[in-house]
Amino acid sequence: MVPPPSELLDSAETHLRVGSAEEMADAVTRSHLPDFRCVGWYGVPPAGWSVAIDAEYADQVVPAPLARRFGDEEFWQRWTRAECLCKLADVPMLAWWPEHGLDVPADFTGRWRTLELGPLIVTVALAPTRA
């Protein structure tokens, strides 16, 4: 499948909103933050493609067991990317780690972008819709 146009990810920040879970109820997809707020995605994915987002606060302390396992350099950027890929593949993170760690697999057929938006790290990823 042909990758989606890059314009959607190039303008990703214009499709993201932050608010309460109720305020983000109509988002295409959303990510819950530790303070009970949500980041919602309001961009329409191209036909045949699914979208996932994940968001974390950039200044959060990396839990020690995760830092030991994956290192703490750009941890939240890598974490949000892996979370998005798990969501798109419908695979839990604990099942993803043994094979991929927090890396993007070489055979990933989608596209992704990680943004730093104020205090947040947000990744948006697109992949062909699974049957």
Side-chain angles (χ1 to χ4, degrees):
M1 178 170 271
V2 175
S6 63
E7 294 81 23
L8 188 61
L9 291 178
D10 289 347
S11 63
E13 47 279 303
T14 66
H15 302 293
L16 293 165
R17 297 184 197 149
V18 179
S20 69
E22 289 130 1
E23 293 169 329
M24 299 298 112
D26 61 341
V28 173
T29 188
R30 58 192 181 162
S31 177
H32 295 268
L33 295 166
D35 62 3
F36 303 106
R37 294 187 315 149
C38 287
V39 178
W41 173 260
Y42 287 86
V44 178
W49 289 80
S50 297
V51 63
I53 65 170
D54 191 64
E56 297 289 347
Y57 284 104
D59 64 355
Q60 286 183 98
V61 174
V62 177
L66 294 174
R68 281 192 300 275
R69 182 173 186 135
F70 301 112
D72 59 4
E73 186 174 333
E74 295 191 348
F75 178 83
W76 295 116
Q77 291 86 337
R78 294 181 295 128
W79 177 268
T80 59
R81 280 192 292 264
E83 281 277 10
C84 283
L85 300 183
C86 287
K87 290 174 183 180
L88 291 168
D90 196 24
V91 173
M93 278 290 270
L94 289 174
W96 184 268
W97 290 347
E99 187 172 349
H100 305 292
L102 298 183
D103 298 324
V104 176
D107 63 350
F108 177 62
T109 57
R111 302 184 68 167
W112 55 268
R113 181 172 176 210
T114 300
L115 304 111
E116 294 188 29
L117 301 173
L120 298 174
I121 301 293
V122 182
T123 294
V124 180
L126 297 161
T129 301
R130 297 168 42 122

